[in-house]
Amino acid sequence: MTSEPETPDTRPCILILDADVIVRHLIAEYLRTCGYRVAEAASAEEALSILSHADVPIDTVLMDMQAPGTTNGFALLRKIRETFPDVDVVPAGSAAKATEEAADLCEEGPHLARPYEPQMVLEEIKRLIARRDRAVAPEGIRS
């Protein structure tokens, strides 16, 4: 009996960094139902470990800027952008606090506010993936 070769799973993978297990699981399940692969982290260190050692490459990180860890959210955001330049990062948190602290780091300030609106999360992730797909499409070919 021969078995069919397994088709690689090419769906985008989203890493959710949020210390609140209920919020993290809810948004993870929502994204899974939308067809994404999802990894979850509760701290900055766990997120960096997943990014460094994931069997599946991470495409986008949705991160709570107040997530716990030995580094603050803005330092973590900078580290992810420098170490993993192909990974999109969606910073989330209190819009007022994030705007105030992130003016020099984030080009557009915070992208999402907590509590998350699932549809807004989905739209932001789709926008980032579409932007990446356009950037890597061969010259003259647009999907």
Side-chain angles (χ1 to χ4, degrees):
M1 211 170 151
T2 62
S3 62
E4 297 279 323
E6 206 171 298
T7 307
D9 189 347
T10 59
R11 295 175 299 155
C13 187
I14 313 304
L15 171 58
I16 300 172
L17 168 56
D18 200 306
D20 186 326
V21 66
I22 294 171
V23 170
R24 190 174 68 244
H25 286 321
L26 285 173
I27 201 68
E29 283 308 307
Y30 176 76
L31 290 172
R32 285 182 182 108
T33 64
C34 293
Y36 294 96
R37 293 176 292 171
V38 178
E40 300 177 45
S43 69
E45 291 76 21
E46 188 177 4
L48 288 172
S49 177
I50 290 169
L51 285 163
S52 298
H53 302 102
D55 293 334
V56 175
I58 303 296
D59 296 289
T60 304
V61 176
L62 170 62
M63 65 175 284
D64 175 10
M65 295 299 289
Q66 284 79 42
T70 56
T71 184
N72 71 37
F74 297 97
L76 177 62
L77 178 60
R78 184 177 288 117
K79 182 172 182 77
I80 291 172
R81 287 182 173 168
E82 290 171 357
T83 309
F84 307 97
D86 293 335
V87 175
D88 290 313
V89 182
V90 180
S94 161
K97 181 172 174 42
T99 300
E100 181 180 303
E101 295 181 26
D104 66 331
L105 178 61
C106 301
E107 296 169 358
E108 304 165 27
H111 293 264
L112 297 173
R114 291 185 71 213
Y116 302 120
E117 290 292 332
Q119 187 61 36
M120 289 180 70
V121 170
L122 180 61
E123 289 170 9
E124 180 68 10
I125 289 169
K126 284 181 177 179
R127 183 186 69 77
L128 290 169
I129 290 170
R131 182 180 73 193
R132 179 184 301 138
D133 288 348
R134 283 191 305 272
V136 298
E139 187 88 14
I141 298 176
R142 296 285 181 220
S143 45

